[in-house]
Amino acid sequence: MKTLLSGELPPPGTVLAPDVALCDECSRIDTKPEDLSFIEFKRPHQVLADEGTCLLAQGLLCMGPATRAGCGALCVEGNMPCTGCFGPTSRVHDQGAKFLSAIASMIGADDPEAIDKVLDTIPDPVGTFYRYSLPASSLRRRKTTALEA
Amino acid sequence: MSNETKKILKEASDRANAAYLRRRITVDPITRLEGHGKIDIFLDEAGDVDRAYFQIPELRGFEKFAEGRPAEDMPQITSRICGVCPTAHHMAATKTLDDLYKVEPPPAGRKIRELVYSAFMAEDHALHFYFLGGPDFVVGPEAPAADRNILGVIAKVGEEAGRTVIAMRRRLREIISMVGGKVIHPVLGLPGGVAKRVTAEQQKEIAKTAADAVEFGKFTLQLFRDVVLAEKAYVDLIVSDAFTHETYYMGLVDEKNRPNFYDGRIRVVRPDGAEYVVFDSGDYLDYIAEHVEPWSYVKFCYLKPIGWQGFTDGAESGIFSVAPLARLNAASGMATPVAQEAFEEMFTTLGGGPVHHTLANHWARVVELIYAAERLKELADDPELIDPEVRVLPTETPREGVGVVEAPRGTLFHHYQTDERGVIEKANLIVATQNNSARIAMSVEKAAKGLISKGEVSDGILNKVEMAFRAYDPCHACATHSLPGSMPLLLQVRGSDGEIISTLQRDSDGSLHRQ
């Protein structure tokens, strides 16, 4: 408020939040394992999530690793996974792709069939990974232009 | 054509246009409500009102982009319909998930939900009374526009009272954050219960806020008596014919026909007060249908068995009303003592039920605020609130579910059809203010006709016309949640940098053009 009233505003486009992933701010970070390996992912209504353990470690698709900190990890405090509404950090251009690649590295399977089985436990990849970021995603920047003869 | 002729024709055309502009009055944007809208008033040659239109230009599309989403995401997706009443959608969606998966929350889970919901009803009603609709009465309908807002209210009731209002809303909203993660777009709802349990420490804090909320409700009612009921000009306005309509009234009631915001059966009474029908949420499609007009994006609900008979009053017209006044009209009492007293005071003063004076919505809203606070206190004092069992896991295969709650602004239905994995195939929402939209349109037109004559229009008069919709506390982001029928439309899709990516145009004959 003081800054607003003094008239000395930060440059336009400044994000008033730290530029690190949400995990840094989350009260459960001590329970986030170094290596995660999944044979299946869980949807929130399929498990009774423990109120003190990292949600990703419990198999839920928590977007924390791909989301900017600054909100106080409120949804996780509410015992529900982060859905990414605060957008990515400044270093990430496509929030959904960032999380997708993180998940891909956590799949505990080698052959394509087994991998597919794991991915089948995510019923709506676009709606989950890109819920807030689809318009800014590189998926949407395709433009068709007619070629001059 | 000679220059002389052209000059004469141009002068005549300019005069005609100027005369037309003098006969069209536009209020754009309308203020102190949730959502966007405008009012267009057309005068006849005598300067009296010929027609008045209440138009909503918002377009959302939730029913469409819900398709393909996992149903358990809907409480958080649909809460984005509105930033003022997100908890209403969250709760309706959560109850729809219960029905979808055929699960019942354990007692603590249900009580936690109703606790959060009561806190929400109390703070949202307080928002409307003090910030949105109240200024018209507390400061005065013809007061300068710059004073007709919360700051004007604080100036009138005093800084101490102003702080009380702001602090009380903050504390009620903190309950929602505490239990639901965050207050705007809470996260607690899941099929079969809630995401997190309540601790003994949290319960202590909630109980304290609840006790203060009941006192706050009484304070608000006394303010209403002192500032509104004591002023003859206001009472005359409330009971005036310009602000009166006789329609059906709908609300959720418990087994004793008393309003319950979280759950119950839907009761509809006739304009004369006799019961018309009581039905369960699953049967809503038998009773509620939607009508479309070309001049607004909001759909107009009406009672299906009676049919759409146009924008008219009376028992032969299918038009009905929801939200505070309608809920109290559709009930026979309140479930908590202080609210019951306030209920009786209101109906006695206004000559018995049903009350058809639209502006009495403000009074009914205060009665409901008191009930919400008392109900909050009942749940906050309940030892079962901190029981650790707050959710059961679903086992049934999902197919279809309907959920209903009373949003602050009226009866709210969510209806989802899913595949066997629980991914939405079709969603239908009947949203609170939609149920009121026909009566709101009628109220605005009747008020305009009653208040404007001989072309005399002032800011105060136009504000009084706006008061005709404000009493309903409309939520138009909510009411326009869908993609409506076949009116002419120009759709521009822009990328995140603002540049137009594509354009889609639909003409009034239904033909589509894409660029």
Side-chain angles (χ1 to χ4, degrees), chain B residues 151-454:
Chain B
L151 298 175
V153 171
I154 294 177
K156 185 82 189 277
V157 305
E159 216 182 276
E160 187 63 44
R163 282 176 202 275
T164 306
V165 173
I166 293 172
M168 191 71 248
R169 286 196 67 240
R170 195 196 69 237
R171 290 170 65 198
L172 286 166
R173 288 163 73 84
E174 267 163 13
I175 294 176
I176 303 173
S177 304
M178 198 191 299
V179 179
K182 38 191 224 244
V183 60
I184 304 181
H185 312 312
V187 302
L188 71 158
L190 280 168
V194 295
K196 195 178 80 157
R197 56 189 73 125
V198 172
T199 66
E201 231 173 79
Q202 289 172 334
Q203 183 181 33
K204 272 201 213 93
E205 202 182 316
I206 295 170
K208 185 157 192 326
T209 300
D212 290 345
V214 177
E215 292 311 306
F216 176 72
K218 294 180 193 167
F219 166 83
T220 304
L221 184 58
Q222 189 53 45
L223 185 71
F224 187 80
R225 289 189 194 108
D226 294 338
V227 172
V228 183
L229 297 178
E231 196 75 37
K232 185 175 184 302
Y234 291 162
V235 177
D236 287 345
L237 196 65
I238 292 172
V239 304
S240 69
D241 183 65
F243 290 93
T244 301
H245 285 283
E246 297 192 15
T247 61
Y248 286 77
Y249 297 100
M250 174 187 290
L252 218 56
V253 295
D254 63 18
E255 70 289 346
K256 295 202 181 117
N257 285 343
R258 306 169 309 187
N260 185 294
F261 302 137
Y262 174 78
D263 200 17
R265 306 185 73 207
I266 298 111
R267 186 168 193 253
V268 183
V269 300
R270 290 180 207 276
D272 64 6
E275 184 177 286
Y276 170 66
V277 69
V278 183
F279 61 93
D280 293 310
S281 56
D283 299 326
Y284 80 99
L285 286 172
D286 293 336
Y287 295 99
I288 302 178
E290 297 171 297
H291 169 83
V292 177
E293 287 280 333
W295 41 267
S296 183
Y297 287 162
V298 93
K299 290 194 269 190
F300 299 93
C301 289
Y302 62 96
L303 291 166
K304 196 168 180 178
I306 298 177
W308 177 260
Q309 311 295 344
F311 289 95
T312 56
D313 281 33
E316 278 75 51
S317 169
I319 290 177
F320 63 95
S321 184
V322 294
L325 184 61
R327 281 192 285 255
L328 265 50
N329 278 339
S332 44
M334 304 299 288
T336 55
V338 184
Q340 174 63 25
E341 252 178 66
F343 176 97
E344 286 169 18
E345 181 190 3
M346 184 182 107
F347 281 102
T348 311
T349 309
L350 293 175
V355 169
H356 301 295
H357 306 303
T358 305
L359 296 177
N361 259 295
H362 293 289
W363 195 343
R365 195 167 290 113
V366 180
V367 175
E368 287 197 333
L369 199 167
I370 296 172
Y371 164 61
E374 288 183 284
R375 184 74 188 121
L376 176 68
K377 184 164 190 314
E378 279 176 3
L379 292 159
D381 291 341
D382 190 326
E384 205 167 22
L385 191 74
I386 58 173
D387 187 278
E389 213 189 298
V390 299
R391 184 154 59 100
V392 294
L393 295 179
T395 52
E396 299 287 320
T397 304
R399 263 285 163 223
E400 188 167 10
V402 180
V404 68
V405 294
E406 280 293 332
R409 299 158 179 89
T411 320
L412 169 61
F413 298 88
H414 280 210
H415 179 186
Y416 315 145
Q417 283 169 351
T418 70
D419 66 15
E420 69 289 345
R421 295 175 309 159
V423 175
I424 305 253
E425 286 176 338
K426 200 161 181 300
N428 186 32
L429 313 178
I430 304 274
V431 181
T433 296
Q434 262 187 278
N435 294 309
N436 267 337
S437 54
R439 189 174 154 144
I440 295 177
M442 284 160 56
S443 288
V444 169
E445 185 166 48
K446 191 170 184 187
K449 286 186 175 172
L451 295 168
I452 298 174
S453 65
K454 310 263 184 303

Side-chain angles (χ1 to χ4, degrees), chain B residues 7-224:
Chain B
K7 188 157 166 271
I8 293 170
L9 280 172
K10 185 177 185 309
E11 276 174 24
S13 164
D14 286 345
R15 270 207 307 277
N17 283 336
Y20 166 73
L21 286 173
R22 274 199 301 277
R23 283 164 58 171
R24 179 183 180 172
I25 305 155
T26 306
V27 182
D28 185 14
I30 51 179
T31 57
R32 282 185 283 124
L33 80 166
E34 192 292 332
H36 302 260
K38 69 196 265 260
I39 295 175
D40 258 318
I41 304 170
F42 293 91
L43 306 179
D44 61 21
E45 284 125 355
D48 298 331
V49 174
D50 180 31
R51 289 296 310 268
Y53 295 93
F54 184 64
Q55 298 182 277
I56 309 303
E58 285 189 69
L59 198 63
R60 308 298 297 288
F62 276 82
E63 285 169 353
K64 198 64 196 164
F65 62 72
E67 291 171 12
R69 309 280 81 76
E72 72 275 12
D73 287 345
M74 290 298 274
Q76 288 195 44
I77 291 176
T78 58
S79 64
R80 265 77 180 177
I81 290 175
C82 184
V84 174
C85 57
T87 312
H89 287 287
H90 188 79
M91 205 56 73
T94 303
K95 288 182 68 190
T96 306
L97 294 178
D98 287 346
D99 192 29
L100 191 64
Y101 283 99
K102 305 288 179 262
V103 275
E104 285 278 340
R110 191 213 147 99
K111 286 177 183 182
I112 291 173
R113 286 185 187 175
E114 204 182 340
L115 178 98
V116 165
Y117 206 67
S118 303
F120 160 65
M121 290 296 287
E123 65 94 357
D124 198 344
H125 274 356
L127 171 77
H128 189 266
F129 183 77
Y130 288 99
F131 288 73
L132 302 179
D136 290 322
F137 288 104
V138 178
V139 185
E142 312 233 9
D147 294 339
R148 289 196 309 255
N149 50 48
I150 181 62
L151 298 175
V153 171
I154 294 177
K156 185 82 189 277
V157 305
E159 216 182 276
E160 187 63 44
R163 282 176 202 275
T164 306
V165 173
I166 293 172
M168 191 71 248
R169 286 196 67 240
R170 195 196 69 237
R171 290 170 65 198
L172 286 166
R173 288 163 73 84
E174 267 163 13
I175 294 176
I176 303 173
S177 304
M178 198 191 299
V179 179
K182 38 191 224 244
V183 60
I184 304 181
H185 312 312
V187 302
L188 71 158
L190 280 168
V194 295
K196 195 178 80 157
R197 56 189 73 125
V198 172
T199 66
E201 231 173 79
Q202 289 172 334
Q203 183 181 33
K204 272 201 213 93
E205 202 182 316
I206 295 170
K208 185 157 192 326
T209 300
D212 290 345
V214 177
E215 292 311 306
F216 176 72
K218 294 180 193 167
F219 166 83
T220 304
L221 184 58
Q222 189 53 45
L223 185 71
F224 187 80

Side-chain angles (χ1 to χ4, degrees), chain A:
Chain A
M1 273 307 292
K2 285 199 188 135
T3 313
L4 274 172
L5 291 170
S6 76
E8 283 171 38
L9 300 172
T14 308
V15 179
L16 302 174
D19 203 5
V20 291
L22 187 65
C23 299
D24 263 45
E25 196 172 67
C26 181
S27 61
R28 305 184 189 199
I29 187 164
D30 292 338
T31 62
K32 184 186 176 196
E34 286 290 327
D35 291 302
L36 283 158
S37 180
F38 295 104
I39 52 166
E40 64 173 350
F41 292 99
K42 296 285 191 191
R43 291 156 67 182
H45 66 287
Q46 292 171 335
V47 291
L48 293 173
D50 180 84
E51 291 183 23
T53 311
C54 171
L55 293 173
L56 201 53
Q58 296 182 63
L60 294 163
L61 287 165
C62 180
M63 292 277 287
T67 306
R68 191 190 276 259
C71 59
L74 296 176
C75 293
V76 181
E77 293 303 309
N79 209 30
M80 286 288 279
C82 165
T83 55
C85 76
F86 213 38
T89 62
S90 65
R91 297 176 296 282
V92 172
H93 294 292
D94 190 315
Q95 190 182 18
K98 166 88 180 157
F99 194 62
L100 187 55
S101 72
I103 293 292
S105 69
M106 292 178 202
I107 295 179
D110 288 318
D111 64 280
E113 229 181 83
I115 292 174
D116 274 345
K117 263 193 91 199
V118 180
L119 292 177
D120 275 345
T121 58
I122 306 174
D124 178 27
V126 173
T128 305
F129 303 145
Y130 285 96
R131 187 182 296 182
Y132 301 96
S133 60
L134 193 58
S137 150
S138 38
L139 289 176
R140 286 311 220 199
R141 291 216 185 110
R142 217 171 27 87
K143 260 208 276 204
T144 333
T145 41
L147 291 172
E148 302 277 296

